[in-house]
Amino acid sequence: MEFKVNNQLELSSYDVVVLPLCEGQSVDHKELLDVVKPYLNKDFFEAKKETYFTISASSAEKPVQIILAGLGKKEEVYFETATDVIGAGVKQAVSKKPSRVAVYLNELSDIVCSDKLSAIAKVSALASYRFDKFLSSSKEAKKLESLTFIDSHEDAETAVERGYSLAQSILIARKLVDEPANIMKPKKLAEEATRVCNEVGIEINVMGRSEIEALNMNAFLSVAKGSDEEPQLIVMKHMGDPSSSEITALVGKGLTYDSGGYSIKPTDSMMTMKSDMGGSAAVIGAMHEIGKRKPKINVVGIVATCENMISGHAYLPGDILTSMSGKTIEVVNTDAEGRLTLADAITYAIEKEHACRIVDICTLTGAVVVALGEEYAGVITRDDNLWDDVYKASQASLEPVWRMPINKALEDKNKSSVADLKNSGGRWGGCCSAGAFVGAFAQDKPWIHLDIAGTAFIETEKPYLTKGGTGYGVHLLAELVSLWAK
């Protein structure tokens, strides 16, 4: 699909035109005005916030549909409003299976600056995405060939290119999450990471079982034991500042499928467990974006990927593991597996890659979904400066975060009477005690934890997103790295 910019609209060139308007706003484009004017009234469309109205019209040459998208009162149009409404309009347009779509923004020249235009291009690309590769009907369906933004700003083309490029990195993560678990196995995830890194010149090293065993990553290996699929340790490097010894690690949870192990999940809960590698998808997508931006900073992306399955080899409740760090862990719940893989991945980041700052991102707990729904990622850190930076990156990326507590009482929930730690602190405060468990392996390095269990995979439609993988975290991590770059 092509993303284009034009400063003039020829109605006959498109199958669908998305026209966002504020309340009481007229239309300067004569051909458009002739079509929409009869409908700009209280009986049809008043442009109230998040309202939509479709007009079927005929241009000089062929039929065209115009989707009116309401922004509400002009003085109340915020950044999020514009992106949500226009993105939703594009999603409606794409659902009509057109070949060519236009988004007419010339009526919003005083609202849509270049930064907003970049965001609108990003969400429009995301709105155009459908995971339909397994639908027989999709092979015959007409594909969207082009999406054109009608905008007369001098830097419109640059802004649209920036937003579209970012969307491509986010879409990498969405596709990885949406693939079913019978296809997206650990080795397949490693192959996709390799392809993505090669595309943008990111160094990558993939290690298999024997190399992981040599590293004594026993917590990670214990989770992988129940599966016939070989675990993979994926290490991606962007050394953007060779003069610096400082290295930032982005660590993503990579469970390509989680049955819960012997602490087995109910069937309904297993249905979406292909998404339990949402953190790894975010890291892979972010490394793709970092490879394109080439910031002056050293970043290592680390993914410990495996399946959590049941067999005669699987780890059991009551097992005691010795992690790569040397800390011992009592297994009280085999469905609290992601934190075990993260424990060893973080230790690897510090001891082998010499990371001095750790960001981990994971679909870790159902508790964060109970607390924050599908709207916010839960963030845990002891470092106020790290929190401030993540919050700034969240604001810039429109990926919401909410800080959750961590203190000694929550850390003590993970104490065991037979080992250094147990891998679950229980139901109450589960998001926080799980984060505290992961943080116990950060070795006093600056560390921040993002639990994206509610935001990485959605089961309800969003304004510009379909159900399934969202790619949450790609933009946030890329913004965070850019913020830290010199």
Side-chain angles (χ1 to χ4, degrees), residues 63-354:
V64 61
Q65 290 186 299
I66 299 168
I67 297 176
L68 302 176
L71 293 166
K73 295 178 181 178
K74 184 175 180 180
E75 63 272 18
E76 296 177 0
V77 177
Y78 299 108
F79 190 17
E80 294 86 349
T81 304
T83 53
D84 279 0
V85 168
I86 296 170
V90 171
K91 188 166 80 167
Q92 287 189 30
V94 172
S95 72
K96 300 177 185 297
K97 296 181 170 52
S99 295
R100 295 175 296 279
V101 172
V103 182
Y104 190 74
L105 298 173
N106 276 346
E107 304 297 336
L108 302 175
S109 58
D110 55 343
I111 293 175
V112 181
C113 60
S114 61
D115 283 347
K116 282 195 174 76
L117 182 55
S118 180
I120 288 166
K122 180 190 86 168
V123 302
S124 296
L126 299 180
S128 306
Y129 168 77
R130 297 289 183 278
F131 185 71
D132 58 6
K133 65 183 286 188
F134 295 103
L135 292 173
S136 300
S137 58
S138 71
K139 295 169 186 174
E140 308 296 329
K142 186 163 56 173
K143 300 297 182 183
L144 182 62
E145 295 173 4
S146 65
L147 181 58
T148 303
F149 297 87
I150 311 299
D151 187 281
S152 54
H153 283 97
E154 185 177 340
D155 56 354
E157 193 165 342
T158 300
V160 166
E161 285 177 359
R162 186 169 61 245
Y164 181 66
S165 175
L166 176 58
Q168 299 316 297
S169 297
I170 297 170
L171 287 172
I172 286 168
R174 291 184 75 180
K175 290 171 184 176
L176 291 175
V177 171
D178 280 338
E179 285 283 0
N182 62 316
I183 291 174
M184 193 51 61
K185 300 288 188 180
K187 282 190 175 180
K188 178 65 173 176
L189 184 63
E191 289 170 5
E192 289 298 305
T194 300
R195 179 188 61 79
V196 164
C197 288
N198 289 341
E199 191 176 289
V200 293
I202 293 280
E203 178 187 340
I204 182 166
N205 180 32
V206 178
M207 290 171 257
R209 187 185 302 275
S210 61
E211 294 161 293
I212 298 167
E213 287 173 347
L215 289 164
N216 293 317
M217 299 180 80
N218 300 313
F220 171 31
L221 286 167
S222 292
V223 177
K225 278 167 54 178
S227 173
D228 290 338
E229 298 295 325
E230 184 178 1
Q232 306 280 281
L233 180 63
I234 306 168
V235 181
M236 301 162 280
K237 295 184 183 181
H238 166 77
M239 305 308 284
D241 187 10
S243 65
S244 173
S245 61
E246 292 190 355
I247 293 174
T248 295
L250 308 179
V251 182
K253 176 183 170 184
L255 268 292
T256 58
Y257 191 75
D258 177 22
S259 70
Y262 276 98
S263 304
I264 192 168
K265 295 176 183 288
T267 299
D268 286 350
S269 297
M270 279 197 236
M271 284 300 297
T272 59
M273 281 300 101
K274 67 178 185 178
S275 69
D276 212 19
M277 35 64 70
S280 65
V283 170
I284 292 167
M287 292 303 292
H288 183 262
E289 183 63 20
I290 290 164
K292 289 185 290 186
R293 294 187 183 187
K294 296 181 169 43
K296 191 176 180 182
I297 185 174
N298 300 321
V299 183
V300 177
I302 298 170
V303 170
T305 179
C306 66
E307 293 179 330
N308 184 24
M309 303 293 277
I310 296 172
S311 75
H313 303 289
Y315 77 137
L316 305 170
D319 286 357
I320 297 178
L321 317 176
T322 302
S323 67
M324 182 181 180
S325 70
K327 284 188 171 72
T328 55
I329 304 165
E330 179 190 10
V331 177
V332 297
N333 187 338
T334 62
D335 195 22
E337 84 300 327
R339 64 202 72 180
L340 298 175
T341 67
L342 288 169
D344 276 352
I346 288 173
T347 302
Y348 174 88
I350 295 168
E351 295 187 359
K352 300 301 181 181
E353 299 298 337
H354 312 293

Side-chain angles (χ1 to χ4, degrees), residues 48-59:
K48 292 189 180 298
K49 182 179 175 182
E50 296 176 347
T51 59
Y52 305 88
F53 186 79
T54 300
I55 301 167
S56 295
S58 294
S59 67

